[in-house]
Amino acid sequence: MGTVVVGFRLGWDTKGRQATVVLTRAGVLHHSMGLLGLAARPARPHAPHGRDPHPVPRQAATLRRLYADLLHQGYTRRLIAPACVRLTTEEHPLHDRPWGEHAPRAHPELIADFTGAAPSGPRSLEDALSEFYAAIGLTARRKPAGPPVPRRPVPPQAVPVPPQPVPPGVPPAVREGLRTLAEGRPLASRPGRAAGWTVTDAGVRLRVGQSGEDLTPREVAELQAALTAWLRHQGRPGAGSAAR
């Protein structure tokens, strides 16, 4: 019977690298990274939580974040534009508890079949996801694709929302970060490193390679307190006002 997938492949010309990410109808995220023009070894797939009643929409949200993160890192050439593809390849059966020794194994044939069957031509990630949802019988959930863009000027008939005042004594770097988030743009660590972070209006995400984890508000506060304590312990400048 095969399966239905949605995915993309992005390239980073300066580094000569490529990244491929594919989401299946079972909610499994497959990904691989390697040199441009060469076959890459897939990493361990990211399976949905075994008790998640809505695995595909949640994994689709992760797919969106990966797409935005890769573009921000420098993978800006769309080698394979986002596409929904029906494959003859069968997915590996997913265990009821898909973690630890039962975690899904890499499936290079599935990624290879996607790259071979994906159509050419420009497409947006949201269009591909809408087609994917329709193909598997779910209602499409549209969200902005890629890094958020600066907000357009408010039309005269709209009621503008006044910006929140910035307390006195906030360091310039924090002021600039607040301005960036207010414009709908993400804050992110420097590209080119295996580990990093991304901060958006929606939350904070830590990543290692292609994998990542969203922090809860409480975890963000605990991390901020720990980093402030570390900066003060090291005697670094700016630590005194970082926690305000």
Side-chain angles (χ1 to χ4, degrees):
M1 292 180 58
T3 187
V4 180
V5 302
V6 60
F8 56 83
R9 171 173 284 177
L10 301 176
W12 188 351
D13 290 334
T14 304
K15 298 289 186 179
R17 298 188 62 80
Q18 65 183 19
T20 308
V21 185
V22 177
L23 172 63
T24 72
R25 70 182 306 160
V28 180
L29 270 171
H30 297 264
H31 51 88
S32 65
M33 301 185 72
L35 297 176
L36 280 170
L38 298 178
R41 177 179 298 178
R44 170 171 288 188
H46 178 64
H49 193 280
R51 301 180 182 87
D52 192 342
H54 306 290
V56 172
R58 295 185 191 278
Q59 293 288 71
T62 302
L63 183 75
R64 288 184 176 98
R65 287 193 294 268
L66 288 173
Y67 189 75
D69 288 347
L70 287 167
L71 288 175
H72 183 78
Q73 290 175 41
Y75 290 84
T76 54
R77 185 153 69 95
R78 291 164 178 81
L79 301 173
I80 297 177
C84 171
V85 181
R86 188 176 296 275
L87 304 178
T88 58
T89 309
E90 292 283 351
E91 290 192 61
H92 294 155
L94 195 61
H95 196 274
D96 291 339
R97 297 184 177 184
W99 57 79
E101 61 178 338
H102 302 303
R105 63 186 187 277
H107 199 162
E109 297 85 4
L110 186 143
I111 295 179
D113 286 354
F114 164 76
T115 59
S120 59
R123 288 171 305 280
S124 72
L125 179 60
E126 289 309 310
D127 287 341
L129 281 170
S130 294
E131 186 178 346
F132 176 66
Y133 277 120
I136 63 176
L138 292 180
T139 303
R141 301 185 178 187
R142 299 187 67 86
K143 292 184 180 180
V149 297
R151 296 175 181 172
R152 296 180 179 179
V154 179
Q157 66 273 18
V159 179
V161 178
Q164 296 295 322
V166 179
V170 174
V174 178
R175 287 178 177 271
E176 181 63 28
L178 288 171
R179 186 180 303 113
T180 299
L181 293 173
E183 293 174 352
R185 295 181 289 122
L187 302 171
S189 56
R190 295 179 180 178
R193 298 177 63 94
W197 48 265
T198 302
V199 178
T200 66
D201 185 59
V204 177
R205 181 173 180 80
L206 303 181
R207 58 171 176 77
V208 178
Q210 284 287 96
S211 301
E213 189 75 24
D214 293 322
L215 300 183
T216 65
R218 179 173 181 177
E219 289 171 333
V220 172
E222 291 173 348
L223 176 60
Q224 191 258 5
L227 293 176
T228 300
W230 183 84
L231 287 170
R232 288 179 174 175
H233 178 71
Q234 298 292 325
R236 301 295 177 87
S241 57
R244 294 178 184 173

